[in-house]
Amino acid sequence: MDVTGRGVPGVGSDAAPRHLTFVPLLMGLKNMRDETVPATELLICTKCRRGQEVGDDAVRPGAALHRELSETGLPEGIRLTEVECLSNCSQGCTIALRGPGRWTFVFGNLHETNHLDTIRDGAARYRDTPDGLVPWRERPEHFRKNCIARIPPMEAQNV
Ligand code: FES
C-alpha cells in the first residue's frame, strides 16, 4: 500500500509539506485581522450637554462633536464609536480612547468645535504607543488637565 501520497495531485514528494500549506492561510487571517480591527477606538458620548440647556429636538454638543469628527476625519487606524453615556455627564463633552492590550483613558470638558485637533492629536499619539500610555509631557495640554479616568488593560498585572 502506498502511504506517500504519490499519484495523488498536490500530494507527495513534489508538494509542499502538508503542515506548510496552512502557513499562508494563517498569515492571511492575521493580515485580515490587522486590517479590520483598529488598534485604537475613540468613543464619543453623543448625549453630553456640556453644561447647557438643550431642547429635546436640538443637537447636543456631544452629538455635534461626533458629527464634526465623522465629517472632518480621524487619523488612520482610529475607529470612531458613538456611545450614549460615559458617566461623566457634569464634565462633558466626554470621550474615551481604548484598544486591545492598552490602557483606557477617559477625557472630559471637550468642546464640539474647539477641540477637534486636540482630539485628533491625542488619539494619534495614543495609537502610536504599544500600551496606550503616552508620556505625560507628550500629551495634548487639554488631555493632561482633563483626564477623568485611566483603566488598565485586562492583561495587566500588578498595576
Ligand atoms: S451624558 Fe455624556 S457622559 Fe453622560
Side-chain angles (χ1 to χ4, degrees), residues 37-40 98-102 130 153 155:
V37 180
T40 297
R98 68 177 180 178
R102 292 164 178 259
E155 302 83 357

Side-chain angles (χ1 to χ4, degrees), residues 45 47-49 84-89 94:
C45 170
K47 297 294 186 188
C48 275
R49 299 171 181 266
E84 295 211 338
C85 185
L86 290 165
S87 203
N88 183 47
C89 318
T94 309

Side-chain angles (χ1 to χ4, degrees), residues 47-58:
K47 297 294 186 188
C48 275
R49 299 171 181 266
R50 197 169 49 74
Q52 300 177 346
E53 288 296 322
V54 181
D56 289 344
D57 296 335

Side-chain angles (χ1 to χ4, degrees), residues 45-79:
C45 170
T46 58
K47 297 294 186 188
C48 275
R49 299 171 181 266
R50 197 169 49 74
Q52 300 177 346
E53 288 296 322
V54 181
D56 289 344
D57 296 335
V59 176
R60 295 188 181 197
L65 176 60
H66 179 268
R67 184 190 61 213
E68 288 293 324
L69 286 170
S70 297
E71 291 177 358
T72 58
L74 287 168
E76 188 176 343
I78 298 172
R79 181 176 66 199

